Amino acid sequence: MDAKKVDLKGRDLLSLHDFSPDEVTAIIELAGELKEKQNFKIPHACLQGKALGLIFQKSSTRTRVSFEVAMYQLGGYPMFLNTNDLQLGRGESIADTARVLSRYLDGIMIRTYSHAEVEELARYATIPVINGLTDLLHPCQILADLQTIKERKGTFAGLKLAYVGDGNNICHSLLFGCAKVGMDISVACPEGYMPDGEIIRLAREDTLLTGSKMEVLTDPVEAVSGADVVVTDVWASMGQEAEQNRRAGVFPPYQVNEKLVAHAAQDYIFLHCLPAHRGEEVSAEVIDGPHSAVWDEAENRLHAQKAVLALLL
């Protein structure tokens, strides 16, 4: 798929479900091309004169730094906008904020809690809106994950990804992402912490486009068996700190450790969106071991987001 043949200009990126398999593939392939250009110091300032607003209600390391650097390296201007510094923090409506920012900027990236608020921002904005994370979805992270898998494995065909842990925004976006690229996915979550039912329904629709297989289980060993990629995330996401103690009593059987990954393929790779809590959702032996690709994965946030910005803006 030639990224130049896919026209995404002006589109929003709220969910990978909204993109076709060809469009997702084009983003991943362009991310690889832009990474190669950076590595070989080839100029790729395709967004000169463009400005991107970065709205943060949730704090961030990777999202903020990667988007700011991505926009800078593409020749554009990134503008950090803390919600406490915007009139949003004093009661201005999302719709009015979207209308005003659309007159100043060429795109908006927002990282916040409510997915409905991001949808509302996109509805009233006349410029592309990019979901940098909500409690429901994290599409930018999964594009970086898919880029990392493609780099390490060379293909998505015939691969199985296992996600073990909380049925959260990472899990949801992995369900969509794997379906779009034709990769099988097995998810293992404790009862009461399963992925959202509507997300599962939509992801099953997506699997029909590529023929990938999808399982939602409670048994982590069954999910990880034969997996080429093993993924996990923290047991309590940002905003769920009050549930930490209760979750700590539920999730230990879902820790990704050497005993669990012994059931994966011998050449499996391990991914984690970070930050990681060693000794909780993952053991140090796994995340710091020879199968870990988390640092390539973290770097690829930069390149995957460059591709998104280049195509949308």
Side-chain angles (χ1 to χ4, degrees):
M1 170 58 58
D2 186 348
K4 295 176 183 176
K5 294 180 181 178
V6 173
D7 184 7
L8 299 180
K9 187 174 182 181
R11 291 270 298 275
D12 300 316
L13 173 57
L14 308 187
S15 169
L16 294 180
H17 176 67
D18 300 331
F19 288 72
S20 72
D22 282 350
E23 290 168 342
V24 172
T25 299
I27 295 171
I28 296 165
E29 291 187 354
L30 181 58
E33 292 173 18
L34 292 173
K35 183 175 184 176
E36 188 173 329
K37 286 184 177 181
Q38 177 176 311
N39 289 342
F40 286 96
K41 314 252 184 246
I42 300 171
H44 48 285
C46 60
L47 293 182
Q48 287 185 334
K50 302 281 187 179
L52 176 72
L54 303 168
I55 301 177
F56 284 87
Q57 188 175 20
K58 282 190 174 186
S59 59
S60 167
T61 299
R62 280 151 293 278
T63 299
R64 178 175 178 181
V65 175
S66 59
F67 264 107
E68 288 199 17
V69 173
M71 199 62 185
Y72 169 78
Q73 290 184 351
L74 291 174
Y77 178 72
M79 180 179 293
F80 175 74
L81 302 169
N82 188 301
T83 51
N84 293 329
D85 301 327
L86 295 173
Q87 295 295 343
L88 271 172
R90 298 178 58 201
E92 182 171 65
S93 71
I94 292 172
D96 287 354
T97 299
R99 293 180 179 111
V100 170
L101 292 181
S102 295
R103 302 295 181 104
Y104 301 143
L105 302 168
D106 299 285
I108 301 169
M109 190 290 303
I110 180 167
R111 179 181 170 95
T112 188
Y113 294 90
S114 169
H115 193 76
E117 290 183 358
V118 176
E119 292 177 325
E120 184 177 1
L121 185 71
R123 187 159 57 249
Y124 289 98
T126 56
I127 55 177
V129 172
I130 299 167
N131 175 8
L133 174 142
T134 65
D135 285 346
L136 187 68
L137 295 169
H138 198 354
C140 291
Q141 177 64 55
I142 272 51
L143 287 170
D145 291 2
L146 294 173
Q147 181 187 354
T148 308
I149 294 166
K150 186 69 180 297
E151 286 176 352
R152 289 295 188 103
K153 297 295 184 180
T155 183
F156 298 116
L159 296 185
K160 174 186 175 181
L161 181 145
Y163 173 86
V164 178
D166 187 27
N168 60 12
N169 49 9
I170 292 292
C171 177
H172 292 159
S173 288
L174 278 171
L175 287 168
F176 289 145
C178 288
K180 293 295 184 180
V181 299
M183 183 166 47
D184 295 344
I185 179 169
S186 290
V187 168
C189 307
E191 292 285 359
Y193 298 91
M194 289 289 183
D196 180 83
E198 179 64 7
I199 297 291
I200 293 173
R201 185 187 70 79
L202 293 173
R204 289 199 189 280
E205 288 182 2
D206 288 344
T207 63
L208 299 177
L209 301 173
T210 58
S212 65
K213 299 184 182 70
M214 188 181 91
E215 297 179 301
V216 180
L217 312 165
T218 57
D219 182 356
V221 172
E222 185 178 354
V224 169
S225 292
D228 304 283
V229 184
V230 179
V231 188
T232 192
D233 193 11
V234 294
W235 292 344
S237 298
M238 198 178 303
Q240 297 173 332
E241 288 81 3
E243 301 178 31
Q244 180 70 43
N245 289 339
R246 176 163 56 85
R247 287 170 174 257
V250 173
F251 280 90
Y254 293 81
Q255 183 188 77
V256 176
N257 50 39
E258 289 186 305
K259 182 178 178 182
L260 181 61
V261 296
H263 298 278
Q266 287 189 344
D267 61 346
Y268 84 94
I269 62 170
F270 173 74
L271 300 178
H272 191 306
C273 63
L274 302 177
H277 300 150
R278 289 164 175 79
E280 290 186 14
E281 74 275 3
V282 62
S283 67
E285 291 79 10
V286 171
I287 192 170
D288 298 320
H291 295 273
S292 178
V294 295
W295 314 118
D296 290 344
E297 175 190 14
E299 178 190 343
N300 284 339
R301 287 293 303 277
L302 171 65
H303 309 297
Q305 284 156 194
K306 277 187 190 176
V308 167
L309 292 169
L311 289 167
L312 270 58
L313 272 59

